[in-house]
Amino acid sequence: MTARYWAPHALLPGGPARGVSFAIDDGRFTAVTTGTAPGEATRLPGVVLPGFADAHSHAFHRALRGRTHDRGGTFWSWRDRMYAVAARLDPDSYRALARAAFAERALAGVTAVGEFHYLHHGPDGRPYTDPNAMGHALAAAADEAGIRLTLLDTCYLTADVDGRPVEGVQRRFSDGTVDAWAARVAALRDGPGLRIGVAAHSVRAVPRAALRTVAAVAAGRAGGAAPVHVHLSEQPAENAACLAVHGLTPTGLLAAEGLLGPATTAVHATHLSSADVAVLGGSGTTACLCPTTEADLADGLGPSRALRDAGCPLALGGDQHAVGDPFADARGLEMHERLASGERGRFTPPALLDALTAHRALGRPDAGRLEPGAHADLVAVRLDTPRTAGTDPAQILLAASGADVDTVVVGGRVVVTGGRHVLGDVGRLLQEAIVPLWEDP
């Protein structure tokens, strides 16, 4: 049965439009037209945008929000707090936390998530009876939250570039060898709403000899090449260690081992040389910026405009769910460039929307556009809230927040209506999932 919607404004591939009707059948748009609202159409408020893609997520980091600001420090001291949470999760608690975290993302307009998944095994590093129990928990959580998931199963083998073995909670992350990782990943299958991708955690955690295997696993997935993601140059210490061991920057190392290219997304890409930027752009590698996380962790301001100008498609990620608002990440892309350059308008509103809807980085190039044939994902944002009243619909990303989202449709299914998720009280779900993780054992 065909579903029909109408909105007074929409951001279409050709630009802003008024009075837009959407026909949806079998999870895809079959028609997008302008004109008077059909009588049987459901009327949406405000302006309709394509569904957002969170191209880089660590769902379990949601438990850290509002918990790590009392001691100052650096990324490395924050990591100790993150490890403490990672040590306490099991498949059931992981599923509950991820379900609530993904539902929160849906409330803010996210229709697909790229989950950078490295919390694989039990607390002592031994596999669960089902070696992919934690990945299956994430897939179930996304399904319950009503979003599509690209599960980026992550190779993590060493503690640093010098090859030191993993220790402590890092044992949960490691399969021991790259071949054991590849064998476990081979058992994962795509499904409705689920795409399997792969990731190399970083040049710190994946030895040089294993990088080509990660690339080969991605290229050899049944059904075509899978997306491959990697943390890149988030911290200067990573660059210094890589230069000391390999005589190459992390970008140079990935290029030498065949891990860059159009199927690859480099996450953060913060501390790059001009030569690194040229290599990434020349290879067509996507750069995924995570502005709210990079600000929260004091990572630095990445060269996002230089990357775009060099040829890198851009994507955005919520990463550690420090804010949980994709509008803030889209604004952050522009605001960080303003702070670095002293100029406004480094990214136009359409360019910000393109980065916010980069489903291609998740292996789904047929999503992120309001046009016939695309996945029927849409986000209706109100234009009458205290934040958005008086806003030009074409500039909504520079004014709205996730709280202004009224309706979210994912593949034709209504997941959010009237600002409420189908799961009900998402705040309560988050509270129930997070508080026990901080209680004394």
Short mmCIF file of all heavy atoms in Angstrom, two decimals, residues 215-272:
data_model
loop_
_atom_site.label_atom_id
_atom_site.label_comp_id
_atom_site.label_asym_id
_atom_site.label_seq_id
_atom_site.Cartn_x
_atom_site.Cartn_y
_atom_site.Cartn_z
N ALA A 215 42.00 -4.95 4.34
CA ALA A 215 41.54 -4.48 3.03
C ALA A 215 41.00 -5.63 2.19
O ALA A 215 39.97 -5.49 1.51
CB ALA A 215 42.69 -3.78 2.30
N ALA A 216 41.66 -6.78 2.25
CA ALA A 216 41.21 -7.93 1.45
C ALA A 216 39.89 -8.48 1.95
O ALA A 216 39.03 -8.88 1.15
CB ALA A 216 42.28 -9.03 1.50
N VAL A 217 39.68 -8.49 3.27
CA VAL A 217 38.40 -8.95 3.82
C VAL A 217 37.28 -8.04 3.34
O VAL A 217 36.20 -8.51 2.95
CB VAL A 217 38.46 -9.00 5.36
CG1 VAL A 217 37.06 -9.21 5.95
CG2 VAL A 217 39.39 -10.12 5.81
N ALA A 218 37.52 -6.73 3.35
CA ALA A 218 36.49 -5.80 2.88
C ALA A 218 36.19 -6.03 1.40
O ALA A 218 35.03 -6.09 0.99
CB ALA A 218 36.96 -4.36 3.11
N ALA A 219 37.23 -6.17 0.59
CA ALA A 219 37.04 -6.33 -0.85
C ALA A 219 36.38 -7.65 -1.21
O ALA A 219 35.68 -7.75 -2.22
CB ALA A 219 38.39 -6.22 -1.56
N GLY A 220 36.56 -8.68 -0.37
CA GLY A 220 36.07 -10.00 -0.70
C GLY A 220 34.73 -10.36 -0.11
O GLY A 220 34.29 -11.51 -0.25
N ARG A 221 34.04 -9.41 0.53
CA ARG A 221 32.73 -9.73 1.11
C ARG A 221 31.75 -10.16 0.02
O ARG A 221 31.71 -9.58 -1.07
CB ARG A 221 32.15 -8.53 1.84
CG ARG A 221 32.80 -8.21 3.17
CD ARG A 221 32.52 -9.23 4.24
NE ARG A 221 31.11 -9.33 4.58
CZ ARG A 221 30.62 -10.13 5.52
NH1 ARG A 221 31.44 -10.91 6.21
NH2 ARG A 221 29.33 -10.17 5.78
N ALA A 222 30.95 -11.15 0.33
CA ALA A 222 29.92 -11.59 -0.60
C ALA A 222 28.97 -10.43 -0.89
O ALA A 222 28.60 -9.68 0.00
CB ALA A 222 29.15 -12.77 -0.01
N GLY A 223 28.59 -10.30 -2.15
CA GLY A 223 27.69 -9.22 -2.53
C GLY A 223 28.38 -7.93 -2.88
O GLY A 223 27.73 -6.92 -3.13
N GLY A 224 29.72 -7.93 -2.91
CA GLY A 224 30.44 -6.73 -3.30
C GLY A 224 31.27 -6.17 -2.15
O GLY A 224 31.09 -6.53 -0.99
N ALA A 225 32.17 -5.28 -2.49
CA ALA A 225 33.09 -4.71 -1.51
C ALA A 225 32.33 -4.05 -0.37
O ALA A 225 31.36 -3.32 -0.58
CB ALA A 225 34.01 -3.70 -2.18
N ALA A 226 32.79 -4.33 0.84
CA ALA A 226 32.18 -3.73 2.03
C ALA A 226 32.88 -2.42 2.34
O ALA A 226 34.06 -2.24 2.01
CB ALA A 226 32.31 -4.69 3.21
N PRO A 227 32.20 -1.50 2.99
CA PRO A 227 32.88 -0.30 3.45
C PRO A 227 33.94 -0.66 4.48
O PRO A 227 33.79 -1.60 5.26
CB PRO A 227 31.75 0.54 4.07
CG PRO A 227 30.66 -0.43 4.37
CD PRO A 227 30.78 -1.52 3.36
N VAL A 228 35.04 0.09 4.48
CA VAL A 228 36.11 -0.10 5.45
C VAL A 228 36.42 1.26 6.09
O VAL A 228 36.56 2.27 5.39
CB VAL A 228 37.36 -0.73 4.81
CG1 VAL A 228 37.87 0.07 3.63
CG2 VAL A 228 38.47 -0.92 5.84
N HIS A 229 36.47 1.28 7.42
CA HIS A 229 36.71 2.51 8.16
C HIS A 229 37.96 2.36 9.01
O HIS A 229 38.38 1.25 9.36
CB HIS A 229 35.52 2.84 9.06
CG HIS A 229 34.30 3.31 8.32
ND1 HIS A 229 33.48 4.31 8.79
CD2 HIS A 229 33.75 2.93 7.14
CE1 HIS A 229 32.49 4.52 7.95
NE2 HIS A 229 32.64 3.68 6.93
N VAL A 230 38.56 3.51 9.38
CA VAL A 230 39.75 3.50 10.22
C VAL A 230 39.87 4.83 10.95
O VAL A 230 39.64 5.90 10.37
CB VAL A 230 41.02 3.23 9.37
CG1 VAL A 230 41.18 4.25 8.25
CG2 VAL A 230 42.27 3.17 10.23
N HIS A 231 40.20 4.79 12.25
CA HIS A 231 40.58 6.00 12.97
C HIS A 231 41.92 6.48 12.41
O HIS A 231 42.87 5.69 12.32
CB HIS A 231 40.77 5.73 14.46
CG HIS A 231 39.51 5.44 15.21
ND1 HIS A 231 39.38 4.37 16.07
CD2 HIS A 231 38.32 6.09 15.27
CE1 HIS A 231 38.18 4.37 16.63
NE2 HIS A 231 37.51 5.40 16.14
N LEU A 232 42.02 7.76 12.10
CA LEU A 232 43.25 8.27 11.48
C LEU A 232 43.71 9.57 12.12
O LEU A 232 42.95 10.56 12.13
CB LEU A 232 43.02 8.48 9.98
CG LEU A 232 44.21 9.04 9.21
CD1 LEU A 232 45.33 8.00 9.15
CD2 LEU A 232 43.81 9.46 7.80
N SER A 233 44.90 9.56 12.67
CA SER A 233 45.56 10.78 13.15
C SER A 233 44.67 11.62 14.04
O SER A 233 44.62 12.84 13.91
CB SER A 233 46.07 11.61 11.95
OG SER A 233 47.11 10.95 11.29
N GLU A 234 44.00 10.94 14.98
CA GLU A 234 43.19 11.69 15.94
C GLU A 234 44.07 12.44 16.93
O GLU A 234 43.69 13.51 17.41
CB GLU A 234 42.26 10.74 16.70
CG GLU A 234 41.32 11.43 17.66
CD GLU A 234 40.36 10.49 18.35
OE1 GLU A 234 40.47 9.26 18.16
OE2 GLU A 234 39.49 10.98 19.09
N GLN A 235 45.23 11.89 17.24
CA GLN A 235 46.13 12.47 18.22
C GLN A 235 47.55 12.61 17.64
O GLN A 235 48.01 11.73 16.91
CB GLN A 235 46.18 11.59 19.47
CG GLN A 235 44.90 11.57 20.27
CD GLN A 235 44.64 12.90 20.96
OE1 GLN A 235 45.56 13.52 21.49
NE2 GLN A 235 43.39 13.33 20.95
N PRO A 236 48.26 13.70 17.99
CA PRO A 236 49.65 13.84 17.51
C PRO A 236 50.54 12.69 17.95
O PRO A 236 51.47 12.31 17.23
CB PRO A 236 50.10 15.16 18.15
CG PRO A 236 48.84 15.94 18.38
CD PRO A 236 47.79 14.91 18.71
N ALA A 237 50.27 12.10 19.13
CA ALA A 237 51.09 10.98 19.60
C ALA A 237 51.04 9.80 18.64
O ALA A 237 52.03 9.07 18.48
CB ALA A 237 50.62 10.54 20.99
N GLU A 238 49.90 9.60 17.98
CA GLU A 238 49.79 8.52 16.99
C GLU A 238 50.71 8.78 15.81
O GLU A 238 51.39 7.87 15.32
CB GLU A 238 48.34 8.41 16.52
CG GLU A 238 48.08 7.40 15.43
CD GLU A 238 46.64 7.42 14.94
OE1 GLU A 238 45.72 7.46 15.80
OE2 GLU A 238 46.43 7.41 13.72
N ASN A 239 50.74 10.03 15.35
CA ASN A 239 51.62 10.37 14.23
C ASN A 239 53.08 10.16 14.59
O ASN A 239 53.85 9.58 13.82
CB ASN A 239 51.40 11.84 13.83
CG ASN A 239 50.05 12.09 13.21
OD1 ASN A 239 49.30 11.16 12.95
ND2 ASN A 239 49.73 13.34 12.97
N ALA A 240 53.48 10.63 15.79
CA ALA A 240 54.87 10.53 16.20
C ALA A 240 55.31 9.06 16.31
O ALA A 240 56.41 8.69 15.87
CB ALA A 240 55.07 11.25 17.53
N ALA A 241 54.44 8.23 16.88
CA ALA A 241 54.78 6.82 17.03
C ALA A 241 54.89 6.13 15.68
O ALA A 241 55.79 5.30 15.45
CB ALA A 241 53.74 6.12 17.90
N CYS A 242 53.99 6.44 14.77
CA CYS A 242 54.01 5.82 13.45
C CYS A 242 55.26 6.23 12.67
O CYS A 242 55.90 5.40 12.02
CB CYS A 242 52.75 6.21 12.69
SG CYS A 242 52.42 5.21 11.22
N LEU A 243 55.63 7.50 12.75
CA LEU A 243 56.85 7.95 12.09
C LEU A 243 58.09 7.27 12.67
O LEU A 243 59.00 6.88 11.94
CB LEU A 243 56.98 9.47 12.22
CG LEU A 243 56.09 10.30 11.29
CD1 LEU A 243 56.01 11.75 11.76
CD2 LEU A 243 56.65 10.25 9.85
N ALA A 244 58.08 7.10 14.00
CA ALA A 244 59.24 6.48 14.65
C ALA A 244 59.40 5.02 14.25
O ALA A 244 60.52 4.54 14.05
CB ALA A 244 59.09 6.60 16.17
N VAL A 245 58.30 4.30 14.13
CA VAL A 245 58.37 2.86 13.84
C VAL A 245 58.47 2.57 12.34
O VAL A 245 59.24 1.70 11.92
CB VAL A 245 57.14 2.14 14.44
CG1 VAL A 245 57.09 0.68 14.01
CG2 VAL A 245 57.17 2.24 15.96
N HIS A 246 57.70 3.30 11.53
CA HIS A 246 57.58 2.97 10.11
C HIS A 246 58.21 4.01 9.17
O HIS A 246 58.32 3.75 7.97
CB HIS A 246 56.11 2.80 9.73
CG HIS A 246 55.41 1.71 10.47
ND1 HIS A 246 55.77 0.39 10.33
CD2 HIS A 246 54.39 1.74 11.37
CE1 HIS A 246 54.98 -0.36 11.10
NE2 HIS A 246 54.15 0.43 11.75
N GLY A 247 58.58 5.17 9.72
CA GLY A 247 59.09 6.22 8.84
C GLY A 247 58.03 6.81 7.95
O GLY A 247 58.33 7.45 6.94
N LEU A 248 56.77 6.60 8.29
CA LEU A 248 55.62 7.10 7.51
C LEU A 248 54.60 7.69 8.46
O LEU A 248 54.48 7.26 9.62
CB LEU A 248 54.96 5.95 6.74
CG LEU A 248 55.78 5.26 5.65
CD1 LEU A 248 55.09 3.96 5.23
CD2 LEU A 248 55.94 6.19 4.44
N THR A 249 53.83 8.65 7.98
CA THR A 249 52.67 9.09 8.74
C THR A 249 51.61 8.00 8.68
O THR A 249 51.67 7.09 7.83
CB THR A 249 52.08 10.38 8.15
OG1 THR A 249 51.57 10.09 6.83
CG2 THR A 249 53.11 11.49 8.07
N PRO A 250 50.61 8.03 9.58
CA PRO A 250 49.53 7.04 9.46
C PRO A 250 48.89 7.03 8.07
O PRO A 250 48.58 5.96 7.53
CB PRO A 250 48.55 7.48 10.55
CG PRO A 250 49.43 8.08 11.60
CD PRO A 250 50.48 8.83 10.81
N THR A 251 48.68 8.20 7.48
CA THR A 251 48.12 8.25 6.12
C THR A 251 49.05 7.57 5.14
O THR A 251 48.61 6.78 4.29
CB THR A 251 47.88 9.71 5.70
OG1 THR A 251 46.91 10.31 6.56
CG2 THR A 251 47.40 9.79 4.27
N GLY A 252 50.34 7.85 5.23
CA GLY A 252 51.31 7.21 4.34
C GLY A 252 51.33 5.72 4.50
O GLY A 252 51.44 4.97 3.51
N LEU A 253 51.20 5.25 5.74
CA LEU A 253 51.19 3.80 5.98
C LEU A 253 49.96 3.15 5.38
O LEU A 253 50.06 2.10 4.71
CB LEU A 253 51.25 3.54 7.49
CG LEU A 253 51.30 2.07 7.91
CD1 LEU A 253 52.55 1.38 7.37
CD2 LEU A 253 51.24 1.94 9.43
N LEU A 254 48.79 3.75 5.58
CA LEU A 254 47.57 3.18 5.01
C LEU A 254 47.63 3.17 3.48
O LEU A 254 47.18 2.22 2.84
CB LEU A 254 46.35 3.97 5.48
CG LEU A 254 46.04 3.94 6.98
CD1 LEU A 254 44.80 4.78 7.28
CD2 LEU A 254 45.85 2.51 7.48
N ALA A 255 48.20 4.23 2.90
CA ALA A 255 48.33 4.27 1.44
C ALA A 255 49.27 3.18 0.96
O ALA A 255 48.98 2.49 -0.04
CB ALA A 255 48.84 5.65 1.01
N ALA A 256 50.37 2.99 1.65
CA ALA A 256 51.35 1.98 1.24
C ALA A 256 50.78 0.57 1.32
O ALA A 256 51.18 -0.31 0.53
CB ALA A 256 52.60 2.08 2.12
N GLU A 257 49.85 0.35 2.23
CA GLU A 257 49.29 -0.98 2.42
C GLU A 257 47.93 -1.16 1.74
O GLU A 257 47.21 -2.13 2.01
CB GLU A 257 49.18 -1.30 3.92
CG GLU A 257 50.52 -1.34 4.62
CD GLU A 257 51.50 -2.32 3.97
OE1 GLU A 257 51.04 -3.41 3.57
OE2 GLU A 257 52.69 -1.99 3.84
N GLY A 258 47.56 -0.24 0.87
CA GLY A 258 46.37 -0.41 0.04
C GLY A 258 45.05 -0.25 0.74
O GLY A 258 44.03 -0.79 0.28
N LEU A 259 45.03 0.54 1.84
CA LEU A 259 43.79 0.65 2.59
C LEU A 259 42.99 1.91 2.26
O LEU A 259 41.88 2.09 2.77
CB LEU A 259 44.09 0.62 4.10
CG LEU A 259 43.01 -0.01 4.97
CD1 LEU A 259 42.91 -1.50 4.68
CD2 LEU A 259 43.30 0.20 6.45
N LEU A 260 43.53 2.78 1.43
CA LEU A 260 42.80 3.99 1.07
C LEU A 260 42.06 3.80 -0.26
O LEU A 260 42.39 2.93 -1.05
CB LEU A 260 43.76 5.18 0.96
CG LEU A 260 44.53 5.54 2.22
CD1 LEU A 260 45.42 6.75 1.96
CD2 LEU A 260 43.58 5.80 3.39
N GLY A 261 41.03 4.62 -0.47
CA GLY A 261 40.26 4.55 -1.71
C GLY A 261 38.81 4.89 -1.49
O GLY A 261 38.39 5.20 -0.36
N PRO A 262 37.99 4.87 -2.53
CA PRO A 262 36.59 5.30 -2.42
C PRO A 262 35.75 4.48 -1.45
O PRO A 262 34.72 4.96 -0.97
CB PRO A 262 36.07 5.15 -3.86
CG PRO A 262 37.29 5.26 -4.72
CD PRO A 262 38.39 4.62 -3.93
N ALA A 263 36.15 3.24 -1.15
CA ALA A 263 35.38 2.44 -0.20
C ALA A 263 35.78 2.69 1.25
O ALA A 263 35.17 2.15 2.17
CB ALA A 263 35.54 0.95 -0.51
N THR A 264 36.81 3.51 1.45
CA THR A 264 37.38 3.74 2.78
C THR A 264 36.92 5.07 3.36
O THR A 264 36.82 6.07 2.64
CB THR A 264 38.92 3.70 2.72
OG1 THR A 264 39.33 2.41 2.29
CG2 THR A 264 39.54 4.00 4.08
N THR A 265 36.68 5.07 4.66
CA THR A 265 36.39 6.29 5.40
C THR A 265 37.43 6.45 6.50
O THR A 265 37.60 5.56 7.33
CB THR A 265 34.98 6.25 6.02
OG1 THR A 265 34.01 6.24 4.96
CG2 THR A 265 34.74 7.46 6.90
N ALA A 266 38.13 7.58 6.48
CA ALA A 266 39.11 7.92 7.50
C ALA A 266 38.42 8.79 8.55
O ALA A 266 37.93 9.88 8.23
CB ALA A 266 40.29 8.66 6.89
N VAL A 267 38.36 8.32 9.76
CA VAL A 267 37.62 8.99 10.83
C VAL A 267 38.56 9.92 11.60
O VAL A 267 39.65 9.53 11.99
CB VAL A 267 36.99 7.97 11.79
CG1 VAL A 267 36.21 8.67 12.89
CG2 VAL A 267 36.08 7.01 11.02
N HIS A 268 38.10 11.13 11.80
CA HIS A 268 38.79 12.23 12.49
C HIS A 268 39.71 12.96 11.51
O HIS A 268 39.47 14.11 11.20
CB HIS A 268 39.54 11.78 13.74
CG HIS A 268 38.67 11.16 14.78
ND1 HIS A 268 37.58 11.84 15.31
CD2 HIS A 268 38.70 9.95 15.38
CE1 HIS A 268 36.98 11.06 16.19
NE2 HIS A 268 37.63 9.91 16.24
N ALA A 269 40.82 12.32 11.08
CA ALA A 269 41.75 12.96 10.15
C ALA A 269 42.09 14.37 10.62
O ALA A 269 42.03 15.34 9.87
CB ALA A 269 41.12 12.99 8.74
N THR A 270 42.47 14.46 11.88
CA THR A 270 42.64 15.77 12.53
C THR A 270 44.03 16.35 12.32
O THR A 270 44.17 17.51 11.92
CB THR A 270 42.35 15.65 14.04
OG1 THR A 270 41.06 15.08 14.23
CG2 THR A 270 42.41 17.00 14.72
N HIS A 271 45.06 15.56 12.58
CA HIS A 271 46.43 16.08 12.57
C HIS A 271 47.15 15.57 11.33
O HIS A 271 47.84 14.54 11.37
CB HIS A 271 47.15 15.67 13.86
CG HIS A 271 46.47 16.19 15.08
ND1 HIS A 271 46.59 17.51 15.51
CD2 HIS A 271 45.61 15.60 15.95
CE1 HIS A 271 45.87 17.68 16.59
NE2 HIS A 271 45.25 16.54 16.88
N LEU A 272 46.95 16.29 10.23
CA LEU A 272 47.46 15.86 8.93
C LEU A 272 48.45 16.87 8.37
O LEU A 272 48.30 18.08 8.55
CB LEU A 272 46.31 15.70 7.93
CG LEU A 272 45.18 14.73 8.29
CD1 LEU A 272 44.10 14.79 7.21
CD2 LEU A 272 45.70 13.31 8.44
#
